[in-house]
Amino acid sequence: MTGREIRDGVARRELSATEVCRSCLARVEQLDGTLRAFVTVDVDGALAAAAAIDNRPRTADRLPLAGIPVAIKDNLCTGGLRTTAGSRILERFVPPYDATVVSRLRAAGAVVIGKTNCDEFAMGSSTEHSAYGPSCNPWSHDRAPGGSSGGSAVAVSAGFVPLALGSDTGGSIRQPAAFCGVLGLKPTYGRVSRYGLIAFASSLDQVGPLSRTAFDAALALGVIAGADSSDATCSGRSVPRYEDALGGDVRGLRVGVPRAVLETGVDTEVLDAFEQGLEVLRQRGATVSDTALPHAKYGIPVYYLVATAEASANLARYDGVRYGSRVPAESLAGMYEQTRDAGFGAEVKRRIMLGTYALSAGYYDAYYGRAQQGRTLIRRDFEQAFAHVDVVALPTTPGAAFRLGERLDDPLQMYLADVFTVGAPLAGLPAISIPCGFTAGRLPVGLQLIGRSFDEELLLRTADAFERDTCWWKSEPVL
Ligand code: GLN
């Protein structure tokens, strides 16, 4: 069932939230030994939340997410429930509070089933950098589900939950959504509070929903978006009822395709599915034209400088004193060193070193300063494109899901998985990935639409119209 169907059934008291919750937990129990979407399943907490919904007073009948089971990426703090961010260093970390997005979901009636696997501190594109081992792609178990929000994408794709939260810094909601055949929405920077999101790169990080349908994503975004006094980067702009933007047509929508960007190398099967997706939009009345993003080629180097620089600063807090595990030593410096050596995985260490180097005296102008200039050019590209188109379309990824292990020894190949997704967060723009077909080997392909700042409504409306004309989103992996 979709989230909306569950919510409506529960609201009419035709469906018991407890029964829905039990059936989700049973499916997780049956299948997650293989898929490993979850790092922690909160059976007792979920059943208690579901019971509270079933016993609610009449006045609470209109809760927007009543009884909907949700999965939360494990880099979002959950009060009283372990939050690891995929890292050893937080293996026993139990946050004293809920992230704002989590408390808003709960207040809206959602039932938190558990915490999903992710690359350590959200650094990666496959979940293989999780200290708790990789998750499997439900469409092909020897392939990566994408990352870093891989566990959330698997949980939706495998039918464990209709809705999950992920975080996206350079593609971590959209790329796993594409690899697993579900919808993923990265909101505009500042649309959603980051309070309680374990920071990776603070000028890029955003929280957003993964779901099967545009309606469920709209419901979730409406609940989690909006001002938060605990996050000064969170916008005070009013939050529309996103679901009211759905149902319309895409007649007159101007879609821009940066053809030159596609020449950088896209698998032909992905390109075919992408073209097929554009054709659906065209038949619904959209116009598709060529557009330019002349600086897109700097996306990967700019992103991997900005993100690592910010990560090196954010991760300084894991010192064995304030958070997570500690390795005792003779001296304070020794304690820092041994705690961080034992607590962080190889990819996180690589990024701390790259970021520290990029920020260091003598190299700052050459690397970090240049990257900031590049970021400005990338943002201007989009401003110019949006002067004549309403959305920019790209495949979400240059290829479909790769094999587990295939890119582990080659970080640059891993980073290239993000070539089409880093632009939107660098420019602070919202972007959505929707299922647009399959490869011959039955691996899902995602169509990405990037919108104007705070124009999530248009992205969701387009995704919804697309859904009504296509059936890829209905396909389920055989498990
Ligand atoms: N895959 C990208 C990285 O490794 C993006 C990660 C993310 O969006 N959190 O940094």
Side-chain angles (χ1 to χ4, degrees), residues 58 120 143 375 391 419 428:
R58 287 273 165 204
E120 185 173 6
R143 290 183 186 262
R375 187 173 183 177
V391 294
V419 62

Side-chain angles (χ1 to χ4, degrees), residues 73 75 119 121-126 129 147-149 167-176 200-201 204-206 303-304 307-308 347 351 414-415 417-418 421-422 425:
K73 185 177 181 179
N75 64 349
D119 290 288
F121 289 107
M123 298 175 190
S125 309
S126 69
H129 297 313
S148 62
S149 315
S167 70
D168 191 310
T169 305
S172 277
I173 291 176
R174 294 160 286 151
Q175 185 255 16
F200 163 11
L204 299 160
D205 299 340
Q206 266 298 287
Y303 170 80
Y304 277 96
T308 56
E347 179 64 23
R351 299 209 186 187
M414 191 75 97
Y415 298 171
D418 308 325
T421 49
V422 292

